[in-house]
């Protein structure tokens, strides 16, 4: 089964609009020939429209970093609805990032609502799962991640799974410089695919892309991409600078 890899950059709460524009202006020519993978960047909300205008006609797609779980516009101060994200040029949205689970108390049920909202507005959710170091040390990594998958994707169909991208991001590896080894990541990716297979059937689970995230950089990406069930990366720190993100995109060289 061949799955087109995805390299996605998560800029988190970094970059003023002019800095976002400078980064994409530098990035575009560096990745223009990258046909082996899909490229996605997730700027902060305030930069999305300006970046979208600059990316028109390019091979770089745009993600938001969060979405409201509401299915229509309404009186929800501070929230941003899926149709607004689609309107400004987003094709993807990151949902359930561990920083949102940890610092903003997002629950599996809220994440499930956000995934549904994204799908309703033709956005592809990049659905993040991953265990803490304590959970791994207690031997519970597989159970925790399987549980996040089961609850986050509750009552979704195999057809909708085809529009979802899963990102396995062990929390102990995010922003710590401590990457999971390719072998450790592969074991978890295989567990996730089996879990998806039980719920949605072999065809859907073999088609869904599962990205690895956690201190990915230009030096470790190739080893990770070598593994059978690793279909790309969600990159934080190393995506902030055009040159290093472009090197991650060109992991095949
Ligand atoms: C992330 O933001 O999803 C992430 C994996 O960050 P970093 O690459 O910096 O660990």
């Amino acid at each position: 089964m061949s799955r087109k890899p995805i390299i996605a950059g998560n800029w988190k709460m970094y970059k003023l609009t002019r800095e976002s524009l400078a980064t994409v202006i530098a990035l575009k020519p560096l990745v223009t020939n990258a046909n082996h993978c899909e490229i996605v960047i997730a700027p902060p909300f305030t930069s999305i429209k300006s970046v979208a205008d600059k990316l028109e006609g390019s091979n770089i797609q745009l993600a938001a970093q969060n979405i409201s779980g509401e299915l229509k516009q309404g009186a929800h101060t501070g929230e941003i609805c899926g149709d607004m994200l689609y309107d400004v040029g987003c094709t993807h949205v990151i949902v359930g990032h561990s920083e949102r689970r940890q610092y903003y108390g997002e629950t599996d049920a809220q994440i499930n609502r956000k995934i549904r909202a994204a799908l309703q507005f033709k956005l592809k959710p990049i659905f993040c799962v991953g265990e803490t170091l304590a959970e791994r040390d207690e031997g519970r990594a597989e159970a925790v991640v399987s549980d996040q998958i089961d609850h986050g994707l509750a009552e979704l169909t195999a057809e909708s799974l085809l529009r979802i991208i899963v990102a396995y991001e062990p929390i102990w590896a995010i922003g710590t410089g401590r990457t999971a080894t390719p072998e450790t990541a592969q074991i978890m990716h295989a567990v996730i695919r089996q879990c998806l297979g039980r719920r949605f059937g072999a065809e859907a689970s073999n088609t869904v892309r599962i990205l690895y995230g956690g201190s990915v950089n230009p030096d470790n990406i190739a080893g990770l991409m070598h593994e059978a069930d690793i279909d790309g990366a969600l990159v934080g720190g190393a995506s902030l600078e055009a040159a290093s993100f472009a090197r991650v995109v060109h992991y095949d060289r």
Side-chain angles (χ1 to χ4, degrees):
M1 168 73 60
S2 97
R3 296 179 289 265
K4 189 163 189 177
I6 301 174
I7 303 293
N10 174 15
W11 291 358
K12 310 193 184 193
M13 196 173 72
Y14 292 106
K15 295 185 190 290
L16 302 178
T17 302
R18 65 168 183 279
E19 295 165 328
S20 297
L21 286 174
T23 307
V24 288
I25 289 167
L27 180 64
K28 262 181 16 172
L30 299 177
V31 299
T32 188
N33 297 324
N35 301 317
H36 61 287
C37 68
E38 291 182 31
I39 306 166
V40 181
I41 54 169
F45 285 127
T46 47
S47 296
I48 289 177
K49 174 68 177 124
S50 309
V51 167
D53 291 344
K54 199 53 82 185
L55 289 181
E56 224 178 287
S58 88
N59 60 340
I60 304 171
Q61 304 175 79
L62 261 183
Q65 297 174 21
N66 193 13
I67 182 173
S68 164
E70 298 299 326
L71 297 180
K72 55 183 174 48
Q73 294 182 16
H76 296 281
T77 304
E79 291 292 301
I80 297 185
C81 192
D83 61 349
M84 298 169 180
L85 299 176
Y86 186 78
D87 181 50
V88 291
C90 290
T91 49
H92 295 70
V93 58
I94 298 171
V95 179
H97 192 281
S98 63
E99 287 156 10
R100 297 217 54 85
R101 293 179 189 257
Q102 260 186 310
Y103 308 141
Y104 301 98
E106 272 190 19
T107 63
D108 288 328
Q110 287 169 326
I111 291 163
N112 178 260
R113 284 190 75 207
K114 290 182 180 205
I115 290 174
R116 290 157 182 278
L119 292 170
Q120 168 161 319
F121 293 112
K122 303 199 195 94
L123 298 164
K124 294 178 190 151
I126 301 175
F127 166 43
C128 303
V129 295
E131 80 285 0
T132 63
L133 187 57
E135 288 162 344
R136 172 157 287 268
D137 288 345
E138 289 160 11
R140 297 198 295 122
E142 295 183 11
V144 166
V145 168
S146 302
D147 218 51
Q148 289 171 341
I149 294 274
D150 278 342
H151 290 103
L153 300 181
E155 287 170 46
L156 291 174
T157 61
E159 197 195 354
S160 41
L161 183 69
L162 297 176
R163 293 163 54 211
I164 294 172
I165 297 150
V166 177
Y168 169 60
E169 299 209 305
I171 294 169
W172 45 271
I174 296 179
T176 58
R178 183 180 164 190
T179 330
T181 62
E183 296 75 21
T184 304
Q186 165 58 28
I187 290 169
M188 291 302 289
H189 281 230
V191 165
I192 291 169
R193 208 177 294 286
Q194 280 160 19
C195 184
L196 294 172
R198 281 194 297 276
R199 282 279 306 280
F200 299 101
E203 197 185 332
S205 70
N206 285 328
T207 307
V208 69
R209 268 99 39 107
I210 306 176
L211 316 184
Y212 168 78
S215 298
V216 170
N217 63 41
D219 299 323
N220 59 29
I221 181 70
L224 290 158
M225 291 304 292
H226 208 66
E227 298 293 334
D229 288 293
I230 300 184
D231 307 312
L234 180 55
V235 188
S239 73
L240 292 172
E241 213 210 306
S244 71
F245 188 57
R247 284 178 59 209
V248 175
V249 167
H250 290 295
Y251 62 85
D252 57 332
R253 296 216 176 133

